[in-house]
Structure formats: structure tokens, C-alpha cells
Amino acid sequence: MTKIALIGFGVVGQSFARVLSQKQQELKELHGLDAHIVAISGRSKGSLMVKEGIELEHLLASFEDNGTVESYPTGIKGLDSIQTIKESGADVVVEVTGTNLETGEPGLSHIRKALSMGKHVITCNKGPPALAYNELKGLADENGVKFRIESTVMAGTPAVNLGKETLAGNKVNGFKGIINGTTNYILTKMEQGGGYDATLKEAQELGYAEADPAGDVEGWDAVGKVVILANTVMGADLKPSDVEREGITGITPTMIDEAKRENMRIKLIAQAHIEDGVVSAKVAPERVHMTDPLANVNGTMNALTYMTDGLQDVTVIGRGAGGVETAHGIISDLIAIYR
Ligand code: HSE
């Protein structure tokens, strides 16, 4: 049995529990992976530890009725997140607390603790890898465990591992794409006549937007993702403050209409390039011609093109935000660790 401690029980944590509950049997039959959540710790949703594994359907039903995981009838309650990591006996810690691109906390402390205790870590939290990927990967290597972050960029749509693992043997000289779902959703809705504030509220309700949506609309979320891709795929050592940044708060319906009259769409484009061995990165709105495939990536869809020496351009398009989509990225990392 592979034992998982789930740290964070917001949109992604709950979706991960639901997807795992639906896939548990399939994972066992197809991959031989017998995965069980043995502990959950959420900032405002309580904590629960059941060493023999939590019955997920039961947990989710009782959570829906009561709003806390502590309504589950058995198990140890009331531990904090660090105690949960230490005492759960888990092999894998799935860290899905909220992103903080300034301090990386509380995720950074959770991940350091788990890796130093010899536990594999999977995270969708962009703060720790954007601020300290090399340190955390080093800590994982020292302790003989894995640190996997597929769902930090484009949720479950392959992005990090596509560049790092699948394209191995190619040199990635740069990348360009739409890697924030919330801003792409807002820009698409604005083109259809939707108001900025109402659309942002909708994106929050759908679970796409960050807890503080400034993280999306001012470009910080895309900056975090650019840093993660540049550092993991291109071997760079960028910090979020190294990335030139402009969000979409200055984009008006008039600008969108003007672009449309010239057969263009405004998109928040994230990119990085290498020149003379130096990697530079940028996030900013750009007018993209309708003949460019990126112009037709709308709503919460994301797209990413890697520019490589061998295969030239390799593009992936898919869903890049949302609880279920992110949960699938976590599941793919879980299977990769198990393999
Ligand atoms: N807020 C992010 C987005 C979530 O809108 O893309 C996925 O990282």
C-alpha cells in the first residue's frame, strides 16, 4: 500500500481526494498502485489521520455535510500540518496549500520537512519550486526520494515533464505560451462582451483564480510558472523578480475591439529564450494574429510551445486550471513515482 498525506484541503485537495476515490481501483488494476490517503490536514478544514487509510467516499460525503474532515467517525483529529507529515507514516506527501510567490510558505516548510524525512513530495503549489526548485530537488536527491511538480504548470496537461523528460535529447532553446487560465478566460469573456469584474468573480467561483486574484491578473502566476519551466527545463536559475512582468489590468474592451478589427487577439503571453547562454523571461499581453495558433486558444485553455534544436517547435494545448485538471497532474506524478 502506498500511503499519502494530503496537506491542504481546498479546491485541489478535495478534487484530488475525489479523483483518487474514482480511480483507486483502476490504478490498482492497471498500474499495481494501491494508493490510500492516510492523513489530511487543511488550514480551515480540520485534520484527520487514519493509519489504515481513509474511506474517501465516506470522507467526502461527511465533509460535504459538515465542512470539516474531522466529522469522519474514526481517526486522530486536531494535528497541525507539520505533525501530520511527521506522524502519518506516509510514503508520499501531496502538498496542495495556496501559492505564495514571496515566501513560498507554508508549502516550503511542509516540503522541506517531508523530503528531509525521506518522503516523496508531489506539489501543485507554485511558490516552493519557483523560489527554491534547485534546493528542494537537491534535498530529494540526498534523501533518495522524488520531488515532482507536473501540476504546477498547466495543471494535468503535460508541461514540466514534457520538457524535462519526454523531450530529453533535444536542447530546449526557449518556450512561449498561454499558461494562466484565469486571464485567458477573462480576455475571452471580455471579447464576448462580459464585464471584467463579473468574469473575474466567475473564474474564482469555478476555482480557476488564485485566492488573491491579483496573482493572476497582474501576471504573477504566469511569472511563477515561467520561472519553474526555465529552471527545470532550460537549466536556468531565475527568480520571479528576474522576469519582466505586465498583467492584463490595463486591457480595456476598446483595446480588444481594436485588435479584433485588425484580425488579432490580445493574449497574456509568457516566454523565455536563451541567448549567449543567458536565459531571459517575460510575461506581458501581446496582440497575436488570428493565423497564430495561440490566438485560437480561448477560455481556460492553455498552450505551450517548446522551441528545440532537434524537433523544432513542439506544442501542447490543453486545460490548464481547475481542481480536477490539477488532480490529474498529481495522479500522473504519483504513478511516475510508483513506477
Ligand atoms: N490561477 C491559475 C490559473 C491556476 O488561472 O491558471 C492554475 O495554476
Side-chain angles (χ1 to χ4, degrees):
M1 164 163 145
T2 297
K3 298 176 183 171
I4 299 165
L6 178 58
I7 308 299
F9 205 62
V11 172
V12 175
Q14 291 167 41
S15 299
F16 174 69
R18 197 163 296 116
V19 172
L20 183 62
S21 141
Q22 290 156 357
K23 293 256 165 186
Q24 228 153 8
Q25 196 56 29
E26 186 183 312
L27 292 178
K28 206 166 163 184
E29 285 167 11
L30 291 183
H31 302 281
L33 169 59
D34 187 21
H36 293 269
I37 297 177
V38 294
I40 298 176
S41 174
R43 186 171 47 93
S44 57
K45 311 290 187 325
S47 87
L48 171 67
M49 194 164 79
V50 181
K51 296 250 173 173
E52 60 276 17
I54 298 167
E55 271 290 335
L56 293 176
E57 266 182 46
H58 191 161
L59 179 269
L60 289 164
S62 110
F63 176 77
E64 206 158 289
D65 289 343
N66 302 288
T68 169
V69 298
E70 299 194 2
S71 56
Y72 193 79
T74 60
I76 297 167
K77 324 275 166 74
L79 299 182
D80 67 24
S81 50
I82 293 287
Q83 286 170 321
T84 302
I85 293 167
K86 276 161 73 175
E87 292 172 27
S88 60
D91 315 297
V92 183
V93 170
V94 172
E95 211 289 339
V96 296
T97 64
T99 294
N100 180 325
L101 280 176
E102 282 167 69
T103 64
E105 296 296 358
L108 197 50
S109 298
H110 295 155
I111 295 173
R112 283 191 182 122
K113 172 53 77 186
L115 293 174
S116 60
M117 288 185 71
K119 297 174 188 301
H120 302 289
V121 171
I122 301 170
T123 193
C124 68
N125 181 344
K126 287 148 275 189
L131 296 170
Y133 178 76
N134 292 332
E135 176 212 317
L136 297 171
K137 174 74 174 67
L139 193 56
D141 291 346
E142 263 170 47
N143 287 281
V145 289
K146 303 287 181 200
F147 174 50
R148 295 192 64 100
I149 59 168
E150 178 57 56
S151 54
T152 57
V153 183
M154 290 173 70
T157 300
V160 177
N161 297 329
L162 173 65
K164 224 164 99 63
E165 296 173 2
T166 313
L167 288 174
N170 287 269
K171 182 168 187 293
V172 175
N173 291 315
F175 59 83
K176 180 175 177 177
I178 296 169
I179 55 176
N180 178 268
T182 301
T183 47
N184 208 36
Y185 186 72
I186 293 172
L187 292 171
T188 302
K189 288 279 176 169
M190 279 173 82
E191 187 186 325
Q192 294 163 355
Y196 181 94
D197 291 336
T199 310
L200 175 55
K201 194 158 174 278
E202 228 176 280
Q204 282 174 302
E205 281 162 7
L206 292 167
Y208 303 141
E210 298 298 301
D212 175 3
D216 294 295
V217 296
E218 289 175 7
W220 285 111
D221 176 77
V223 164
K225 291 167 177 169
V226 162
V227 169
I228 290 170
L229 291 177
N231 292 359
T232 56
V233 176
M234 297 174 72
D237 193 19
L238 298 181
K239 296 185 292 302
S241 55
D242 296 327
V243 180
E244 208 181 308
R245 176 190 56 87
E246 187 188 331
I248 63 158
T249 47
I251 304 295
T252 60
T254 311
M255 290 160 90
I256 290 174
D257 286 348
E258 271 170 17
K260 206 170 172 187
R261 276 199 295 278
E262 290 169 42
N263 215 19
M264 299 206 200
R265 276 204 173 107
I266 297 177
K267 295 289 181 188
L268 185 69
I269 301 294
Q271 54 195 310
H273 300 278
I274 189 161
E275 216 177 302
D276 299 327
V278 178
V279 177
S280 60
K282 178 179 163 187
V283 170
E286 285 186 11
R287 287 156 61 109
V288 179
H289 200 270
M290 290 295 185
T291 53
D292 185 323
L294 289 185
N296 297 299
V297 174
N298 294 315
T300 56
M301 295 298 271
N302 280 192
L304 177 67
T305 299
Y306 281 116
M307 283 80 100
T308 77
D309 63 344
L311 287 166
Q312 309 296 320
D313 289 0
V314 177
T315 300
V316 61
I317 299 176
R319 295 178 186 276
V324 170
E325 291 81 353
T326 306
H328 277 281
I330 296 170
I331 299 268
S332 85
D333 276 342
L334 189 61
I335 295 171
I337 289 172
Y338 179 72
R339 279 176 179 157

